[in-house]
Amino acid sequence: MKKVVALLFFLIFTFCLVSAVNADSSKESPKKIVISFRVGDEFLIINNKYVQVQKPFVVNGVTLVPVRVITEAFGAEVDWNGEEKSVLLKYDSVNIKLFIGSKTAIVNGIETTLLEAPVLKDGTTMVPLRFITENFGADVTYIEETKEIVVVKEIAGVNSIKDFGLILKKTTKERIGDSYYNWSISFPKQ
């Protein structure tokens, strides 16, 4: 009888421990952010959850999407300045300032030109998808067969180099290379 009670106690303890570990791991941020949608659809799929949004649309080959939905998926901050009709996006160490109707953007203090200007549509700020997400370190893919756009952002750990592409985008160096093997190349600014 003592063995049965001890075994029962052990099983209950093990079940509680496993449940607690699973509960803690579900609170962690995702290791990957995946956003998928088709232009013209009013639903985006963000990490397997449907989110209703202002319909994304294309202007001169540039997909414009609602700024708040995209930035919130990444956990970025959004600040609207109604006086100058600008939006400031903050994600990790990336700061992007966009102006409604202007193809000029400021990324970490450096002025750059957009392919298409952000617009206000029915009270929603619509911004160029690829420009925002790639500056946040994500990859954007268009799947021709399904006409679907997929954005994937790998969340790197504290000591990981998975965000190497993002690190390179932030550099102000003229040349990049490897000092150990003693090689370098000119770093393109585009």
Side-chain angles (χ1 to χ4, degrees):
M1 182 68 172
K2 287 182 182 179
K3 287 182 180 180
V4 172
V5 171
L7 179 62
L8 186 60
F9 178 73
F10 175 74
L11 290 174
I12 291 172
F13 177 74
T14 304
F15 176 75
C16 291
L17 184 63
V18 169
S19 297
V21 168
N22 285 339
D24 282 349
S25 66
S26 67
K27 294 177 187 174
E28 293 177 17
S29 61
K31 300 289 183 206
K32 186 188 289 190
I33 299 168
V34 180
I35 303 168
S36 64
F37 64 97
R38 288 186 188 96
V39 172
D41 285 354
E42 62 183 40
F43 287 95
L44 272 68
I45 303 169
I46 302 173
N47 290 339
N48 297 319
K49 294 180 185 171
Y50 284 85
V51 177
Q52 188 171 9
V53 299
Q54 176 77 25
K55 292 180 184 179
F57 58 93
V58 176
V59 176
N60 297 323
V62 177
T63 304
L64 298 175
V65 296
V67 68
R68 200 166 289 279
V69 172
I70 296 299
T71 54
E72 286 176 359
F74 282 84
E77 294 178 37
V78 180
D79 292 321
W80 169 255
N81 183 328
E83 205 171 285
E84 62 183 19
K85 288 193 175 179
S86 69
V87 63
L88 178 63
L89 313 175
K90 298 176 185 177
Y91 178 70
D92 287 338
S93 61
V94 178
N95 292 315
I96 302 171
K97 190 168 189 176
L98 303 164
F99 302 90
I100 300 300
S102 173
K103 290 186 179 181
T104 300
I106 301 169
V107 181
N108 291 339
I110 300 170
E111 198 170 287
T112 187
T113 303
L114 301 169
L115 294 174
E116 199 54 52
V119 297
L120 280 176
K121 184 174 181 186
D122 300 327
T124 301
T125 303
M126 306 293 283
V127 297
L129 170 73
R130 186 174 295 274
F131 179 79
I132 300 298
T133 55
E134 286 183 350
N135 272 289
F136 286 172
D139 293 315
V140 181
T141 306
Y142 179 71
I143 303 169
E144 181 67 40
E145 298 82 34
T146 61
K147 307 289 188 221
E148 187 176 26
I149 297 171
V150 179
V151 177
V152 177
K153 165 70 174 162
E154 296 279 342
I155 306 297
V158 179
N159 296 321
S160 174
I161 61 167
K162 277 191 172 183
D163 272 346
F164 190 65
L166 184 58
I167 292 166
L168 287 178
K169 287 179 187 177
K170 294 180 189 177
T171 189
T172 57
K173 294 181 178 183
E174 296 292 322
R175 300 185 67 79
I176 59 171
D178 188 320
S179 60
Y180 181 80
Y181 291 106
N182 200 24
W183 66 267
S184 68
I185 60 172
S186 295
F187 182 73
K189 294 300 175 189
Q190 303 303 342

